[in-house]
């Protein structure tokens, strides 16, 4: 059921499913490019099916539990995270767009000049043709770039403030104990799997889960009493009971 969801953190390729013949219990995923040995990726990003199932189930059930218990707080966390991402990304996109627009203006001017030179008789027909093709090609490429960048900006706007959409799905699944393909499709956009590494003598493997509509989200680490106090302040159930 994870096919298509798992991505390599280094090369972005899908991780492919495999099981070893000598040990049929050992079901795992690993990077397609590394397996093909095509030089595009040099690490396996190997992860066992039982390990990834465990990680995703825990992460998802935590988020669903948190989101259904503390809807307002959850929306706030999502918005804060997205605000950071959006501001960063918008800055990047805007400067890329400005660059392209400036070059577009430049090329328009160069193109105009070319015609002037032609009229003045300073250019041979051949040279004129060659240059005008060059500018036309660049204009087409630039126009495509502008369109692409505008699409990117519009696409990001769509992702904005969609915590409510996510909550609507959460309300249908308040308690997730087992992962099913249906649940996976409903909630998850992609899962980025890093290669295992040694950190202070311990083997760690980073897995980033990107949810539909809210992206990557990190919940605050809270103790039981903190959760209880948060529940008293923001908890839906408490508010509903007193209402
Ligand atoms: Zn890879």
């Amino acid at each position: 059921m994870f096919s298509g969801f798992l991505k390599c953190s280094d090369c972005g390729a899908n991780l492919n499913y495999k099981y070893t013949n000598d040990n049929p219990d050992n079901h795992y995923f690993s990077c397609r490019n590394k397996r093909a040995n095509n030089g595009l990726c040099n690490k396996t990003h190997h992860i066992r099916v039982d390990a990834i199932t465990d990680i995703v189930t825990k992460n998802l059930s935590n988020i669903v539990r948190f989101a259904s218990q503390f809807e307002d707080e959850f929306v706030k966390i999502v918005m804060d995270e997205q605000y950071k991402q959006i501001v960063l990304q918008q800055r990047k996109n805007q400067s890329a767009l400005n660059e392209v627009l400036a070059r577009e203006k430049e090329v328009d001017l160069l193109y105009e000049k070319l015609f002037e030179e032609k009229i003045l008789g300073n250019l041979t027909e051949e040279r004129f043709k060659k240059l005008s093709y060059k500018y036309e090609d660049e204009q087409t490429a630039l126009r495509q770039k502008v369109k692409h960048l505008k699409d990117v900006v519009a696409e990001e706007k769509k992702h904005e403030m969609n915590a409510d959409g996510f909550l609507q799905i959460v309300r249908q699944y308040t308690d997730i104990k087992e992962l099913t393909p249906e649940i996976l499709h409903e909630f998850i956009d992609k899962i980025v799997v890093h290669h295992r590494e040694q950190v202070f003598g311990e083997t760690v493997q980073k897995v980033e889960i990107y949810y539909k509509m809210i992206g990557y989200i990190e919940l605050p680490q809270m103790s039981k009493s903190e959760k209880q106090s948060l529940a008293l302040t923001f908890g839906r159930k408490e508010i509903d009971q007193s209402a």
Side-chain angles (χ1 to χ4, degrees), residues 8 10-13 31 33-34 41 43 45:
C8 171
D10 282 327
C11 69
C31 177
N33 279 333
K34 173 63 186 167
C41 194
K43 285 176 187 161
H45 296 253

Side-chain angles (χ1 to χ4, degrees), residues 2-16:
F2 286 105
S3 282
F5 283 105
L6 304 182
K7 310 281 174 195
C8 171
S9 67
D10 282 327
C11 69
N14 280 336
L15 302 191
N16 282 359

